[in-house]
């Protein structure tokens, strides 16, 4: 029998498959529970905007034809709404696809990648697949210390990547600190700011749109998604803002019809529904505060989050047992074993009712 692992390219045999949150249907099937809630994958608990749903349903009717390969209307809407030049945009089947493509373009065995410790796992997976070493920078009280990141960058560093706010930790770097950092990074080191949770990082009056800095910093790449606040995770659509040369490379490498027509239509319409985003973000801000109160009251060590989830430390208690007990009660949360954080569970902030259910279950277990 042929050893296909040996035939596969480079570092693929050295990575483990991505561990996704358990789907609701799987828990229903395995545990025989009908009423299951998923607080594990940072999805939007309100579903998607009605405008997006209507546009998606309409687009299904034309499913026999190929999508617009260049995503003209979505790019145009992004330009109108945020001012990004369309030649700086690349669309992807989720931002994950774009991150993969970017690493494929720029990472190889001759370079290294600098990441804060406990970064979103895809960055290290893609570094390994493409043969590069990863240099991890320790966090300082769960926050990224940009001075330490600067110290870690050397002549071989091709990419430094951050999720901002971070996943799975939830802390964020301020616009001011990031701008200062960008001035000091070597020009041939790409700085990737992955803003999957950007919309939830509200309330800071000094917050700036980092994608606007691309003109001044050609080595900056900002990644965004419609999967989280916009509620389109299942449709798979995201975008990158970069300088036109990088966008052109990404657009060469991507598959010709990488974003399907339903996703394109839904994302374009979703950008018209500010009310839905406001409802989503307001609920998240309010409920996030309730998580912090609940954790403080019960002696749990919640990390202050700027995202739509909270990483909760259970200390000496058995977090894995708590996760499996929650599962038996129909609540799926996310253990962070893949990050070697055994005592922490990442819990997505749901609707007030979902959060009440989680709090009641935790009270019973604690
Ligand atoms: C930090 C971060 N980046 C990117 C993604 C990928 O999201 P998507 O491919 O759905 O856009 C996720 C998903 O959980 C994430 O947490």
């Amino acid at each position: 029998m042929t050893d296909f692992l040996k035939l596969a390219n480079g570092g693929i045999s050295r990575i483990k498959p991505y561990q996704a949150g358990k789907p609701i249907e799987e828990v229903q099937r395995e545990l025989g529970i009908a009423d299951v809630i998923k607080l594990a994958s940072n999805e939007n608990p309100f579903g998607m905007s009605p405008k997006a749903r209507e546009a998606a349903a309409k687009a299904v009717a034309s499913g026999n034809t190929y999508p617009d390969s260049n995503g003209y209307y979505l790019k145009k809407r992004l330009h109108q709404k945020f001012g990004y030049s369309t030649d700086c945009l690349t669309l992807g089947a989720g931002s994950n696809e774009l991150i993969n493509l970017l690493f494929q373009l720029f990472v190889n065995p001759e370079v290294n990648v600098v990441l804060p410790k406990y970064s979103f796992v895809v960055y290290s997976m893609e570094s390994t697949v493409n043969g590069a070493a990863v240099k991890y920078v320790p966090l300082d009280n769960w926050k990224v210390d940009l001075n330490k990141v600067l110290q870690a960058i050397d002549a071989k560093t091709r990419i430094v990547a951050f999720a901002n706010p971070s996943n799975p930790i939830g802390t964020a770097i301020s616009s001011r600190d990031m701008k200062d950092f960008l001035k000091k990074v070597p020009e041939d080191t790409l700085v990737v700011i992955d803003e999957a949770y950007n919309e939830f990082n509200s309330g800071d009056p000094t917050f700036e749109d980092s994608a606007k800095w691309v003109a001044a910093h050609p080595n900056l790449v900002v990644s965004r998604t419609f999967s989280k606040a916009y509620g389109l995770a299942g449709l798979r659509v995201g975008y990158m803002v970069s300088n036109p040369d990088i966008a052109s490379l990404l657009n060469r490498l991507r598959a010709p019809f990488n974003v399907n027509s339903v996703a394109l239509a839904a994302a374009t319409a979703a950008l018209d529904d500010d009310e839905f985003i406001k409802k989503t973000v307001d609920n998240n801000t309010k409920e996030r505060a309730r998580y912090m109160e609940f954790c403080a009251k019960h002696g749990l060590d919640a990390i202050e989050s700027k995202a739509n989830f909270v990483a909760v430390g259970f200390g000496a208690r058995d977090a894995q047992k708590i996760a499996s007990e929650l599962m038996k009660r129909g609540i799926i949360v996310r253990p962070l074993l893949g990050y070697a954080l055994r005592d922490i569970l990442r819990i997505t902030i749901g609707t007030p009712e979902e959060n009440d259910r989680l709090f009641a279950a935790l009270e019973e277990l604690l």
Side-chain angles (χ1 to χ4, degrees), residues 37-48:
I37 56 171
K38 185 176 171 201
L39 302 177
S41 297
N42 308 334
E43 293 145 336
N44 191 320
F46 297 126
M48 68 178 76

Side-chain angles (χ1 to χ4, degrees), residues 88 210-218 220 242-243:
C88 293
S210 59
K212 298 262 167 74
W213 307 333
V214 162
H217 297 282
L220 171 64
S242 67
N243 89 68

Side-chain angles (χ1 to χ4, degrees), residues 215-226:
H217 297 282
N219 56 337
L220 171 64
V221 178
V222 177
S223 158
R224 302 260 175 81
T225 186
F226 288 93

Side-chain angles (χ1 to χ4, degrees), residues 18 41-42 93-97 99 120 123 163-167 194-197 223-228 233 236-238 309 346:
Y18 178 81
S41 297
N42 308 334
S95 57
N96 206 142
E97 183 196 22
I99 295 165
F120 182 48
Y123 318 146
N164 195 35
S166 79
N167 173 24
D194 173 352
E195 296 189 337
Y197 302 98
S223 158
R224 302 260 175 81
T225 186
F226 288 93
S227 297
K228 309 295 178 184
R236 313 302 304 129
V237 51
F309 56 83
R346 194 193 66 193

Side-chain angles (χ1 to χ4, degrees), residues 64-98:
N64 60 312
T65 58
Y66 283 104
D68 171 9
S69 169
N70 289 315
Y72 174 82
Y73 289 106
L74 178 53
K75 286 185 183 171
K76 187 174 165 200
R77 190 73 192 94
L78 287 166
H79 169 68
Q80 283 169 341
K81 194 170 170 83
F82 301 119
Y84 312 141
S85 164
T86 52
D87 61 356
C88 293
L89 293 171
T90 314
L91 305 179
S95 57
N96 206 142
E97 183 196 22
L98 296 167

